[in-house]
Amino acid sequence: MNRGNVLMVVVVLLGCVWRGLWLSAGVTDSTSVADATRTKLLSQIADELKARGQVTGLQSLHRVQVLAYFDDAGFADSTVASSRSWKLDSVQRFDPDAEVWIVSGADGKPGWDGWDDNQNGTVDDLSELGAAWSDDHCLTPLDSGYEQVDPAYSRIINRGTFVPSDFESFAADHAIKTDESDRRPNSWRVTFVDQAAADSL
């Protein structure tokens, strides 16, 4: 047995030990909760589309991302997740041209304040934005402060992200038109909040 095979056996055994410890620690399997919640939320979306006169099944919504925000740690029980009442929070559409900006953090300086992060001889110049472990961060159209980004002190780090939209646009994009039956809809993300949490705000 060569060294590579021995290493592979060791890695597999360590993985088995880790999984055994994980299960014996009583960590809950939340995958079933996520699946049940996703199915419920997609059904809620399909029902709303049907109420608008659109015949839509869950299959046609398989590309829709759904995010559910729980109000407490009680989500570990799948019966709790399935019995919750969900309120639509936001509808987002993926825009391949939307800009993602990187901006300085609370210290107001690119990278680490007072450090020449990229060692180019200039401290806190724009090219240091995004230095490792600095407080610099990214802003997308979904973030507060996005409209106030100053290009002189920020830079575009990526293009393509989710942008705010509405359910009417989502419904129109999922409407079946006879002349566009093979058209692929845009990428969408729909977020929900626990109704109890929403009512308490």
Side-chain angles (χ1 to χ4, degrees):
M1 183 177 279
N2 63 32
R3 186 177 296 179
N5 290 340
V6 171
L7 182 60
M8 183 180 297
V9 169
V10 169
V11 169
V12 170
L13 288 175
L14 287 175
C16 292
V17 170
W18 174 84
R19 183 63 176 161
L21 291 173
W22 177 273
L23 294 174
S24 64
V27 177
T28 57
D29 178 11
S30 58
T31 305
S32 60
V33 177
D35 291 341
T37 303
R38 174 177 168 76
T39 299
K40 178 172 182 176
L41 295 179
L42 287 178
S43 296
Q44 190 170 322
I45 293 171
D47 290 344
E48 177 61 28
L49 291 174
K50 287 176 186 174
R52 294 167 181 254
Q54 295 177 222
V55 179
T56 304
L58 294 184
Q59 279 299 104
S60 64
L61 300 175
H62 73 280
R63 295 179 66 231
V64 176
Q65 295 181 25
V66 290
L67 300 179
Y69 297 101
F70 292 86
D71 64 330
D72 55 42
F75 67 87
D77 184 352
S78 60
T79 59
V80 173
S82 61
S83 65
R84 287 176 183 254
S85 177
W86 296 98
K87 179 180 179 183
L88 179 67
D89 183 53
S90 70
V91 178
Q92 305 159 11
R93 176 184 56 81
F94 186 83
D95 181 352
D97 298 318
E99 299 167 343
V100 179
W101 289 84
I102 187 163
V103 299
S104 58
D107 62 15
K109 303 287 185 175
W112 284 74
D113 184 13
W115 287 79
D116 182 10
D117 298 288
N118 57 3
Q119 299 180 4
N120 67 350
T122 305
V123 174
D124 294 335
D125 64 329
L126 192 60
S127 63
E128 296 176 25
L129 270 173
W133 300 291
S134 71
D135 62 351
D136 301 343
H137 58 279
C138 293
L139 288 178
T140 75
L142 296 174
D143 298 313
S144 61
Y146 181 81
E147 297 298 328
Q148 289 75 42
V149 169
D150 186 347
Y153 299 100
S154 311
R155 64 180 177 183
I156 297 172
I157 195 171
N158 191 28
R159 291 185 192 275
T161 187
F162 284 91
V163 298
S165 189
D166 52 55
F167 199 87
E168 286 68 30
S169 300
F170 172 83
D173 195 53
H174 284 78
I176 298 175
K177 301 180 178 65
T178 55
D179 58 338
E180 300 180 31
S181 58
D182 60 344
R183 180 181 62 89
R184 291 177 65 85
N186 292 310
S187 294
W188 293 89
R189 178 192 288 161
V190 184
T191 68
F192 292 83
V193 293
D194 185 294
Q195 183 69 52
D199 292 343
S200 67
L201 296 178

